[in-house]
Amino acid sequence: MLNTAAKTEAPGSEQELTDGFHLVIDALKLNGINTIYGVPGIPITDLGRMMQAEGIRVLSFRHEQNAGYAASIAGYLTKKPGICLTVSAPGFLNGLTALAHATTNCFPMILISGSSEREIVDLQQGDYEEMDQLAIAKPLCKAAFRVLHAADIGIGVARAIRAAVSGRPGGVYLDLPAKLFGQVMDAAAGQKSLVKVIDAAPAQIPAPSAVKRALDVLKSAKRPLIILGKGAAYAQADEDIRKFVEKSGVPFLQMSMAKGLLPDTHAQSAGAARSTVLKDADVVMLIGARLNWLLSHGKGKTWGEAPKKFIQIDIEPKEMDSNVEIVAPVVGDIGSCVSALLEAMGGNWSPAPADWLATVARKRDENVAKMAPKLMSNASPMDYHGALGALRTIVKERPDAIFVNEGANTLDLARGVIDMYKPRKRLDVGTWGVMGIGMGYSIAAAIETGKPVLAVEGDSAFGFSGMEIETICRYKLPICIVIFNNDGIYRGTDVNAASADPATTVFVKGSRYDKMMEAFGGVGINATSPDELKRAVNEAMDSGKPTLINAVIDPAAGSESGRIGNLNPQSVLKKK
Ligand SMILES: Cc1ncc(C[n+]2csc(CCOP(=O)(O)OP(=O)(O)O)c2C)c(N)n1
Ligand SMILES: [Mg+2]
């Protein structure tokens, strides 16, 4: 039953009452929100308890940032806002990084935070966990709201949901002061105040003229390229996107989290010929992908000398011309746009020139063949390619599993080596290249999809959210964590010549992260060769038991900053 109101004896009459706690719960349930990620404490401990009692799944984390990352990826996977629930000031701030991350990555998420007494906070009189949270959240998210009256909870929750998922999705902050939860009102009036959000993310249909313009440009191309971004994966328009790409006959690149939207092994995939297609293409169609740093802003060396025309499909009009001229902007939601493109192509569309596709395929096959022997190495200590070769086979055999990935070399090399076969199976550091998403993403992926999770983590990356292995063991989630342990950040070989302190990028040599897992009743394994690693991962995936595998990687194997070392500023002064 939705209405959680309680019968209360009011003097003289029996009146049914409800309060802020129950109205928040009812408002969320009415809108189909049934999972919360958070950390309890004043003023939201009882809210969490009551939510659980009312059948909402409440996952209690060890740090709000990880709960926030979990909520953000839950939003990406489900197209419903992921909810993170935090306490005031420090809990709120811990969750805020994830809220900003959700906004940057266009994931729908709502950070609901308890807050302290407005009257005291606003006079800066030093309340318990005093902070003007609404003001701080505002610049970091898509929208921010505060509810002061129980009768407004329904509207507040509805606005937060709609703001998070409509248009370009993003993070929303909802501030709920402590006093609100205890406010009492008539239950029937409370019930009436709730709002069910109808059509939370309305379709945004592109203009037919924009669709025609885009197809005209595509038709004129000699060497076209399609780039699929995570916006395309988010749209869940998988079938239409596949049909469109296949009908067009155009080679495609998939951005990191779009990998698997079409199988990476697809005949038109240009994944292993990235530098060739970026340089040589004459028309580039971006679908749910932004021309940000991840695509070198659409200009410069990466994009070569050949003049290019860009077609861009995005829900956000402001995205157009952000870095280069877009000759054919198509604004609308990806699902509507792709279906309109398909329809407008008609029955006799001539596919892209076959010689271009053949050139791309040749280059791709050459590069794949070059890489193959490296992936078969069974050397110990392992290098990245040997270890990834083993994991690549496992992912191929288990295409439904979710693959979570963070680190520097661990991320960049895994992205290149591990083929994905189904949409939304690869979850990683996203637009910011942020470390710390690993355990939060893994937990939410397991909870939201019910599928097994394989998390491949650099030893540094893992450290940002490592304490959540207790959470994983507590909820008995089918998550297998593989730590690529090379004794540090990028490499474990740096030396500090100036003092006895270790170099800034190195960790304790020979650490055994597997022992941490055992402390919480999970399975811990130390793997020193690709064969051992393969056996251990397969066993973990078969058993579904929380497992952590410490994969010992040669500390000298990595390179500075993985594949993006060029972004490091250089000192012009001579080294001392
Ligand atoms: C929140 C955050 N802090 C710091 C960084 C800088 N950073 C980039 S990669 C990385 C760790 C790389 O080491 P590891 O995860 O062990 O991967 P490896 O290259 O050793 O395989 C760090 C600290 C970041 N991206 N995000
Ligand atoms: Mg490392």
Side-chain angles (χ1 to χ4, degrees):
M1 206 180 73
L2 245 185
N3 188 350
T4 61
K7 272 203 175 138
T8 306
E9 293 282 331
S13 73
E14 194 183 76
Q15 193 195 0
E16 238 185 285
L17 297 176
T18 188
D19 62 12
F21 287 110
H22 292 89
L23 286 166
V24 170
I25 295 169
D26 290 346
L28 292 171
K29 283 176 78 174
L30 179 65
N31 286 290
I33 288 170
N34 44 29
T35 309
I36 306 277
Y37 302 91
V39 175
I42 297 171
I44 48 108
T45 315
D46 272 347
L47 180 65
R49 291 193 182 108
M50 291 179 200
M51 284 171 156
Q52 232 175 12
E54 293 299 329
I56 291 181
R57 190 139 197 221
V58 184
L59 291 125
S60 195
F61 280 66
R62 304 299 295 259
H63 190 292
E64 292 87 353
Q65 188 174 100
N66 306 318
Y69 286 139
S72 75
I73 208 67
Y76 170 73
L77 289 168
T78 64
K79 300 182 89 173
K80 284 197 303 196
I83 311 283
C84 176
L85 181 62
T86 65
V87 303
S88 335
F92 156 79
L93 286 173
N94 284 345
L96 201 54
T97 309
L99 188 69
H101 164 84
T103 307
T104 298
N105 284 276
C106 317
F107 301 157
M109 165 183 172
I110 303 173
L111 174 65
I112 301 181
S113 184
S115 58
S116 300
E117 299 274 336
R118 284 251 48 80
E119 293 80 350
I120 306 178
V121 172
D122 287 351
L123 273 170
Q124 300 177 30
Q125 292 173 309
D127 200 7
Y128 167 71
E129 298 192 346
E130 175 178 296
M131 177 171 276
D132 186 359
Q133 297 170 196
L134 187 70
I136 289 165
K138 243 176 213 168
L140 298 172
C141 57
K142 210 180 147 186
F145 306 104
R146 175 186 290 137
V147 182
L148 291 175
H149 301 295
D152 292 332
I153 287 173
I155 283 290
V157 169
R159 294 208 74 184
I161 292 172
R162 193 177 284 283
V165 299
S166 61
R168 170 175 277 177
V172 173
Y173 176 59
L174 187 60
D175 191 271
L176 304 181
K179 259 193 197 168
L180 178 77
F181 295 109
Q183 276 180 32
V184 170
M185 70 183 284
D186 175 71
Q191 189 62 28
K192 256 201 185 141
S193 73
L194 299 181
V195 175
K196 188 168 162 65
V197 182
I198 310 295
D199 196 12
Q204 288 181 226
I205 316 284
S209 58
V211 170
K212 181 174 181 307
R213 191 190 296 119
L215 287 179
D216 286 346
V217 176
L218 190 64
K219 209 181 288 175
S220 73
K222 294 203 171 56
R223 296 178 308 280
L225 171 68
I226 291 174
I227 300 182
L228 299 165
K230 66 178 177 293
Y234 174 81
Q236 299 194 16
D238 310 335
E239 257 320 283
D240 271 0
I241 290 173
R242 185 186 58 75
K243 276 191 210 149
F244 171 71
V245 171
E246 289 182 348
K247 192 167 179 177
S248 75
V250 174
F252 66 87
L253 281 181
Q254 309 194 95
M255 300 302 287
S256 200
M257 277 178 58
K259 274 167 73 75
L261 189 43
L262 281 87
D264 280 326
T265 48
H266 192 283
Q268 286 165 251
S269 169
R274 187 178 192 270
S275 42
T276 302
V277 287
L278 291 185
K279 279 200 178 72
D280 294 348
D282 61 352
V283 167
V284 179
M285 177 183 252
L286 301 153
I287 307 184
R290 293 172 286 183
L291 276 178
N292 57 19
W293 71 280
L294 286 158
L295 283 171
S296 309
H297 306 282
K299 54 196 170 190
K301 227 169 74 189
T302 312
W303 290 87
E305 300 297 317
K308 285 179 216 307
K309 288 182 179 167
F310 287 95
I311 304 166
Q312 183 158 27
I313 302 172
D314 203 284
I315 197 159
E316 173 58 63
K318 285 201 300 257
E319 193 56 48
M320 306 300 157
D321 310 318
S322 64
N323 286 273
V324 296
E325 181 189 60
I326 302 298
V327 301
V330 183
V331 174
D333 71 277
I334 302 288
S336 301
C337 289
V338 172
S339 112
L341 284 165
L342 256 178
E343 173 130 3
M345 279 167 120
N348 55 354
W349 181 267
S350 0
D355 58 337
W356 165 238
L357 189 59
T359 307
V360 173
R362 207 175 314 117
K363 186 73 202 166
R364 177 196 63 205
D365 296 345
E366 241 174 68
N367 287 343
V368 168
K370 241 188 261 166
M371 170 103 81
K374 287 193 201 167
L375 301 178
M376 278 151 64
S377 158
N378 196 34
S380 176
M382 293 182 268
D383 60 16
Y384 286 92
H385 286 93
L388 288 169
L391 297 179
R392 170 188 158 97
T393 313
I394 293 171
V395 172
K396 185 176 183 181
E397 289 165 357
R398 301 170 189 269
D400 282 321
I402 310 266
F403 187 78
V404 173
N405 192 197
E406 62 177 334
N409 293 281
T410 304
L411 175 90
D412 291 347
L413 297 172
R415 184 196 298 116
V417 169
I418 308 242
D419 289 329
M420 302 306 297
Y421 299 86
K422 293 194 174 180
R424 295 171 297 283
K425 297 297 186 188
R426 186 188 154 86
L427 309 176
D428 68 27
V429 299
T431 312
W432 271 344
V434 67
M435 298 297 113
I437 49 89
M439 297 304 104
Y441 273 23
S442 297
I443 291 168
I447 294 285
E448 301 290 343
T449 70
K451 304 280 189 233
V453 175
L454 175 60
V456 176
E457 302 267 314
D459 52 339
S460 166
F462 171 72
F464 287 74
S465 67
M467 193 63 215
E468 302 298 344
I469 57 174
E470 188 278 328
T471 314
I472 291 169
C473 290
R474 184 166 15 112
Y475 291 99
K476 301 184 175 57
L477 298 172
I479 296 173
C480 172
I481 305 152
V482 175
I483 297 186
F484 276 17
N485 186 358
N486 64 345
D487 294 344
I489 298 173
Y490 313 140
R491 267 191 308 262
T493 50
D494 253 11
V495 177
N496 170 10
S499 80
D501 278 347
T504 56
T505 54
V506 302
F507 298 153
V508 169
K509 305 235 177 280
S511 296
R512 289 286 302 273
Y513 293 94
D514 50 312
K515 305 256 185 207
M516 290 172 67
M517 200 63 170
E518 288 173 354
F520 303 111
V523 178
I525 294 177
N526 190 52
T528 57
S529 73
D531 281 350
E532 269 175 36
L533 175 61
K534 192 171 180 177
R535 211 171 317 126
V537 175
N538 273 320
E539 206 163 296
M541 303 292 278
D542 285 340
S543 74
K545 285 189 192 147
T547 301
L548 190 157
I549 301 163
N550 184 61
V552 181
I553 303 283
D554 179 355
S559 55
E560 178 94 355
S561 303
R563 287 261 163 96
I564 53 172
N566 60 311
L567 298 181
N568 283 305
Q570 300 294 323
S571 170
V572 293
L573 304 179
K574 266 214 209 110
K575 274 191 187 148
K576 272 190 195 156

